[in-house]
């Protein structure tokens, strides 16, 4: 799943005047030890049937019914699936997207709302960097993009080495000469791979790097990495380029990435909370976070795992307000109440590439109102509002 695909979902709005709804379906597979029970597909079918019933009760038939029927058919065939699945549908506007996801979605659930429900997705991928995985040995390199579970090969580099001295039966001077030639070829290969990584970084093709190579190759390869590339390296695993499977690459990279994201979340949230106290590049609490979002100042957003709050949204200009006012303070038009402000915040964060962190059990964040943000700049330098509020 790419960022553009997520942005497309975040930008989608069902035309309610024509009775259209945005349907989001999340499928959570059973844990492997329960696989034999095959409960998951039954749960999924029940969830969809329930949604069909309540849609019929509310007189929402037509296109929504068609979407639900199609999801029901899909749910029926999900038995034994090991991955999560998400479907976003609105046949009234000819929209249907299906994605495979890692199996950590929480629960199988269906949402029928004006916008697609992106919270489970945001919790999974909000803080995921554009990750590059480079598999390297002395004569080959394969460079992959990994987005959630989606592994795609972006480049393959091959510099076949000359045959080694021993395979010619050389000895003495000639053997030494041949070994030196092979070493020189490997050196040039490592340089070329390192250079390719640097160029792709500059093009914005990746943000963080994981390297997979034999332990014996790492000291040969590492010195050639550009300092900027090295700064973005988050880990390395040992694997054989020629024989490693995509599944193994995903597993190795995931084992490095997940703790890295957790660590980064806790470092960054502490930074935001500290900076909020010193009244600089951090804000806490819904009201100030919403203000910072509107000024475009937010770089990273932190939410407690089950955070939810009521707010209003202007039906005309989209202004969000933590005070449940009837008329928009920005333009005077009427507002509508949001049962959960996250339904409006998450699409904004996705559209603007704001790093989104969900934190489980963080005392500092809990005390700060369960929501905080790290800013790119002090928004009060232009408006004066944030300073006045704190
Ligand atoms: Zn307004």
């Amino acid at each position: 799943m790419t960022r553009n695909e997520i942005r497309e979902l975040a930008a989608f709005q069902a035309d309610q005047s024509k009775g259209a709804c945005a349907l989001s379906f999340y499928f959570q597979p059973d844990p492997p030890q329960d696989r034999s029970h095959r409960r998951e597909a039954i749960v999924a079918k029940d969830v969809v049937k329930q949604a069909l019933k309540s849609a019929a009760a509310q007189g929402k038939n037509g296109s929504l019914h068609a979407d639900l029927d199609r999801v029901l058919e899909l749910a029926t065939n999900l038995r034994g699936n090991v991955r999560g699945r998400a479907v976003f549908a609105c046949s009234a506007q000819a929209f249907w997207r299906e994605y495979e996801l890692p199996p950590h979605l929480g629960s199988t659930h269906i949402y029928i709302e004006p916008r697609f429900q992106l919270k489970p997705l945001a919790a999974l991928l909000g803080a995921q960097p554009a990750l590059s995985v480079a598999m390297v040995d002395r004569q080959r390199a394969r460079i992959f993009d990994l987005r959630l579970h989606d592994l795609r090969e972006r480049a393959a580099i091959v510099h076949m080495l000359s045959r080694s001295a021993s395979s010619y039966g050389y000895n003495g001077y000639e053997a030494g000469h041949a070994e030196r030639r092979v070493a020189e070829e490997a050196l040039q290969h490592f340089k070329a791979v390192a250079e390719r990584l640097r160029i792709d970084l500059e093009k914005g093709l990746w943000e963080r790097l994981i390297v997979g190579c034999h332990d014996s190759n790492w000291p040969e390869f590492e010195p050639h990495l550009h300092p900027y590339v090295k700064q973005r390296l988050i880990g390395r695993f040992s694997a054989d380029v020629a024989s490693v499977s995509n599944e193994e690459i995903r597993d190795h990279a995931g084992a490095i990435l997940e703790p890295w994201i957790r660590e980064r979340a806790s470092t960054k949230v502490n930074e935001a909370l500290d900076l909020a106290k010193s009244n600089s590049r951090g804000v806490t609490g819904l009201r100030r976070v919403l203000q910072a979002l509107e000024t475009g100042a937010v770089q990273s957003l932190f939410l407690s795992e089950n955070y939810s709050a009521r707010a209003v949204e202007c039906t005309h200009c989209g202004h969000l307000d933590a005070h449940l006012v009837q008329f928009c303070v920005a333009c005077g038009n009427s507002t509508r109440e949001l049962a959960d402000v996250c339904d409006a915040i998450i699409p904004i964060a996705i559209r603007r590439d704001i790093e989104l962190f969900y934190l489980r059990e963080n005392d500092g964040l809990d005390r700060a109102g369960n929501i905080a943000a790290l800013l790119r700049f002090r928004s009060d330098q232009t408006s004066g509002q944030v300073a006045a509020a704190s």
Side-chain angles (χ1 to χ4, degrees), residues 153-339:
E153 187 159 351
R154 175 155 41 84
I157 300 168
V158 181
H159 295 101
M160 291 312 283
L161 296 176
S162 304
R163 293 173 66 193
S164 68
S166 56
S167 65
Y168 285 112
Y170 289 158
N171 50 39
Y173 171 77
E174 283 184 331
H177 183 72
E179 291 299 348
R180 279 193 297 279
R181 190 176 61 204
V182 169
E184 175 61 23
E185 285 168 357
L187 174 83
Q188 293 307 326
H189 167 69
F190 285 132
K191 274 188 178 170
V193 175
E195 180 62 5
R196 175 64 191 258
L197 288 171
R198 185 190 67 78
I199 290 167
D200 286 357
L201 174 63
E202 276 179 8
K203 285 184 189 161
L205 297 181
W206 61 271
E207 297 166 345
R208 300 287 164 182
L209 176 67
I210 291 175
V211 173
C213 73
H214 282 302
D215 293 345
S216 59
N217 291 152
W218 180 238
E220 292 183 277
F221 179 50
E222 191 200 2
H224 302 296
L225 292 175
H226 191 278
Y228 294 150
V229 171
K230 220 180 271 185
Q231 270 173 17
R232 286 163 182 271
L233 178 73
I234 64 172
R236 186 182 73 79
F237 61 90
S238 181
D240 183 55
V241 182
S243 64
V244 72
S245 71
N246 284 9
E247 201 56 48
E248 286 167 330
I249 296 175
R250 272 198 288 263
D251 288 348
H252 282 301
I256 292 169
L257 185 62
E258 279 170 29
W260 180 81
I261 290 176
R262 274 200 302 277
E263 177 67 35
R264 187 172 160 81
S266 89
T267 308
K268 286 252 164 187
V269 76
N270 290 338
E271 195 184 332
L273 296 173
D274 283 349
L275 289 171
K277 275 181 210 144
S278 64
N279 200 12
S280 61
R281 280 178 43 253
V283 287
T284 57
L286 180 59
R287 197 160 57 91
R288 273 168 275 180
V289 168
L290 289 179
Q291 279 176 356
L293 273 175
E294 287 195 335
T295 58
V298 176
Q299 181 181 328
S300 310
L301 191 60
F302 308 92
L303 301 164
S304 292
E305 194 176 39
N306 295 313
Y307 178 72
S308 165
R310 286 160 72 202
V312 294
E313 179 183 44
C314 173
T315 52
H316 179 69
C317 73
H319 172 72
L320 294 168
D321 209 315
H323 297 295
L324 305 181
V325 291
Q326 205 177 343
F327 297 102
C328 174
V329 296
C331 76
N333 281 278
S334 60
T335 61
R336 69 185 184 99
E337 193 174 327
L338 302 170

Side-chain angles (χ1 to χ4, degrees), residues 100-159:
E100 284 209 330
L101 296 173
H104 312 296
L105 294 166
S107 65
T108 293
H109 212 98
I110 202 158
Y111 304 87
I112 296 161
E113 294 164 342
R115 294 185 188 124
F116 292 126
Q117 177 53 257
L118 301 178
K119 212 170 175 175
L121 204 57
L124 273 180
L125 55 75
Q128 296 264 335
L131 182 67
S132 185
V133 182
M135 300 295 309
V136 188
D137 68 13
R138 300 189 92 203
Q139 54 187 349
R140 271 174 301 246
R142 298 176 70 196
I143 301 175
F144 297 87
D145 290 317
L146 182 60
R147 305 285 179 273
L148 277 179
H149 238 57
D150 188 14
L151 187 75
R152 290 181 201 182
E153 187 159 351
R154 175 155 41 84
I157 300 168
V158 181
H159 295 101

Side-chain angles (χ1 to χ4, degrees), residues 351-368:
R351 282 201 301 272
R352 297 202 195 142
D353 263 341
I354 294 168
E355 238 183 337
L356 192 59
F357 292 99
Y358 279 88
L359 290 103
R360 197 176 296 173
E361 292 162 18
N362 185 290
D363 291 342
L365 186 60
D366 290 352
R367 279 196 299 274

